[in-house]
Amino acid sequence: MIADPTLLQMKYARIISLLAKKADVDEEKAMEMFYKSNTCMLMSKGISDFHCMSDAYLAEEIMLEQKE
């Protein structure tokens, strides 16, 4: 299932903002973390239904990826 591109971009912005707060980094670093993540790749290609998950869950998932 592919999400609407505009809605997906808005979701990305919310996730990046949450990621910055949770990881205690600036938004630029959070953006880098997000766009380099496997989660982002899966969402953008519509491979998974990650776009249906909550923003908080996805931010946590990205933080877990960073620890690996």
Side-chain angles (χ1 to χ4, degrees):
M1 178 177 181
I2 297 177
D4 178 87
T6 303
L7 295 177
L8 204 51
Q9 290 298 318
M10 292 168 60
K11 186 163 191 76
Y12 291 171
R14 292 191 309 268
I15 293 168
I16 291 166
S17 181
L18 269 173
L19 194 55
K21 290 176 188 167
K22 288 179 177 272
D24 196 27
V25 296
D26 61 24
E27 297 241 341
E28 186 175 332
K29 176 65 178 168
M31 191 180 312
E32 180 183 333
M33 291 168 63
F34 175 76
Y35 282 109
K36 289 184 176 180
S37 72
N38 190 45
T39 300
C40 176
M41 185 272 301
L42 293 172
M43 286 176 62
S44 66
K45 291 189 177 189
I47 294 172
S48 67
D49 286 338
F50 271 122
H51 64 276
C52 297
M53 304 291 183
S54 74
D55 300 341
Y57 173 84
L58 293 169
E60 288 292 329
E61 190 70 24
I62 293 166
M63 289 177 63
L64 288 173
E65 282 183 44
Q66 294 291 312
K67 290 180 181 178
E68 294 177 355

